[in-house]
Amino acid sequence: MKAQILGIGHALPERVLTNADLEKMVDTSDEWISERTGIKERRIADPDMATSDYCYQAALMALEMSGITPEQLDLIIVGTTSPDMPMPSTACILQEKLGAWNAGAFDMEAGCTGFVYGLTVAEKFLLSDDYQYVLVLGADMCSRFVDYTDRNTCIIFGDGAGAAVLGKGEQDFGMYSTFMGADGRGGRHLSIPGGGSRHPASEESIRNGQHFIIMNGNEIFKFATPIVEKVAAKLMSKAGLQTSDLDWFIPHQANMRIIKSAIKRCGIPMDKTLVNLEKYGNMSAAAIPVALSEAIIEGRIKKGDLIMMVAFGGGLTYGGILMRWGRDDANVS
Ligand code: UT7
């Protein structure tokens, strides 16, 4: 028995923030951003939208493809670092929007690895008899935590949400192997220090900019490339496969230089690597599910394709999923 994705969806804000726009806001250039990151533009959420609103749109799309009703969901997991508010969880807010009254709901804070962590946890629930259908989201609105006077971070992040409805099947589709890892020693390299129990919101915390994302880009960069290779090796050895068996690789969309260096180490060609960071920037936990959803909708990923997804991010966290795209005949509505 394997956990399978039965439906996938995504949602993106309409507002586009281009490199040319950023040139007017901070001391940067389209040339620098393009060369150093590969990003050309990113989407920024409207002021009246919250993370759960984009989750809702993405979830409706995934539910429609799956043929599952909200009442059939047993569990909702939202991978996010930008929840609507500290309490209640974004997953509970989404549960109400969907009317998914039979589902348990919780958020999973694993930075950019949120969707991959969410899929991994969902798989473990689905391997038990108690759970039939789980909705997993990767959604972030980093723009709400970015200091748009800090050229180190404001050029990178964009907003979005991706959703997957998971069920189970007997045929050869679904998740072959999963892997989750973390290295808390590197947590200080990517953080939002204010707003929690350590530094509660205060006039001082606001004055000190403690509610903004603080990032040591070089340290994350050094961490990322070898970790992608390590996760890929774990996934492949658990499944008894090799990277040459892959049809598609969906890396976390953080920086084009990280992606190129990682695929070189893993022996994966560029034409098998899905990249969307040029138009969306780094959408944190939403990066991978949005790329997956778009590739499914555009027909690039086909039934039977072997896909590897690898993410890394705040925590520091890392992880991956190896799966074969498709659903059992019994799961096709
Ligand atoms: O999802 C996980 C979260 N984050 C990441 O994955 C980020 C990973 N890291 C990165 O993507 C890269 O480290 C960055 C894109 C953030 C920075 O690129 P870099 O090649 O590591 O640049 P750097 O920080 O070493 O800075 C090089 C120079 C510096 O100038 P000096 O000291 O050499 O004169 C920076 O001040 O580039 C300068 N710089 C900029 N210049 C123009 C830094 N940011 C900018 C900018 N525009 N936006």
Side-chain angles (χ1 to χ4, degrees):
M1 202 275 290
K2 284 192 182 64
Q4 291 178 355
I5 293 183
L6 309 181
I8 185 98
H10 67 279
L12 295 159
E14 276 175 23
R15 190 181 147 214
V16 175
L17 182 70
T18 65
N19 290 352
D21 296 328
L22 285 164
E23 281 177 355
K24 293 176 203 140
M25 296 159 69
V26 288
D27 180 15
T28 192
S29 65
D30 172 41
E31 190 188 359
W32 192 96
I33 302 170
S34 303
E35 272 177 18
R36 307 303 290 175
T37 70
I39 301 167
K40 285 285 184 190
E41 56 187 49
R42 62 293 286 145
R43 301 295 178 92
I44 304 295
D46 290 334
D48 61 343
M49 294 290 276
T51 300
S52 68
D53 297 320
Y54 293 107
C55 284
Y56 179 60
Q57 293 174 8
L60 288 182
M61 196 169 154
L63 283 162
E64 191 184 339
M65 188 194 282
S66 71
I68 301 302
T69 64
E71 291 83 359
Q72 286 177 278
L73 292 171
D74 299 304
L75 181 62
I76 299 173
I77 304 173
V78 178
T80 187
T81 314
S82 36
D84 287 22
M85 55 190 86
M87 189 170 67
S89 70
T90 303
C92 282
I93 296 170
L94 178 63
Q95 190 235 29
E96 185 193 4
K97 285 181 200 285
L98 290 170
W101 310 122
N102 300 312
F106 61 85
D107 286 0
M108 179 156 283
E109 208 275 69
C112 304
T113 319
F115 182 71
V116 163
Y117 262 47
L119 285 185
T120 304
V121 171
E123 189 221 19
K124 307 306 167 209
F125 276 94
L126 287 164
L127 292 178
S128 84
D129 289 339
D130 297 348
Y131 290 78
Q132 298 303 318
Y133 300 112
V134 182
L135 173 65
V136 178
L137 293 106
D140 267 309
M141 231 190 234
C142 290
S143 67
R144 297 289 204 262
F145 300 91
V146 163
D147 174 0
Y148 282 96
T149 65
D150 175 10
R151 68 177 183 175
N152 184 41
T153 51
C154 73
I155 56 150
I156 289 175
F157 295 102
D159 302 333
V165 174
L166 280 89
K168 41 193 163 189
E170 305 289 339
Q171 288 173 249
D172 195 25
F173 305 116
M175 286 153 70
Y176 280 31
S177 57
T178 64
F179 181 72
M180 293 200 298
D183 186 351
R185 290 168 296 186
R188 67 186 183 282
H189 298 314
L190 185 54
S191 67
I192 303 172
S197 58
R198 177 73 62 197
H199 303 293
S202 66
E203 283 181 23
E204 195 191 354
S205 71
I206 292 170
R207 234 186 352 264
N208 293 340
Q210 288 178 299
H211 301 275
F212 290 130
I213 296 172
I214 295 168
M215 185 178 78
N216 183 338
N218 284 308
E219 288 298 330
I220 306 288
F221 202 104
K222 277 190 271 174
F223 165 77
T225 315
I227 218 68
V228 172
E229 188 184 13
K230 174 181 163 175
V231 174
K234 290 263 185 203
L235 293 171
M236 292 299 163
S237 78
K238 277 190 189 187
L241 292 165
Q242 295 175 342
T243 50
S244 54
D245 296 316
L246 285 172
D247 294 294
W248 296 105
F249 175 44
I250 312 181
H252 175 47
Q253 310 284 310
N255 184 311
M256 198 58 202
R257 288 185 292 140
I258 295 176
I259 293 175
K260 282 192 173 157
S261 155
I263 62 172
K264 195 170 167 198
R265 291 170 83 130
C266 296
I268 301 168
M270 194 65 217
D271 61 5
K272 289 186 174 182
T273 305
L274 291 176
V275 177
N276 66 7
L277 93 171
E278 186 182 334
K279 46 186 186 166
Y280 303 137
N282 178 349
M283 293 185 289
S284 185
I288 284 180
V290 170
L292 175 65
S293 178
E294 284 194 329
I296 299 289
I297 288 157
E298 288 162 10
R300 277 192 285 164
I301 292 180
K302 298 194 168 47
K303 189 173 175 181
D305 282 356
L306 188 69
I307 306 166
M308 180 173 73
M309 306 183 269
V310 178
F312 56 85
L316 297 172
T317 56
Y318 51 96
I321 306 281
L322 181 66
M323 66 175 194
R324 196 171 292 288
W325 181 253
R327 315 180 264 185
D328 274 23
D329 301 334
N331 283 329
V332 180
S333 54

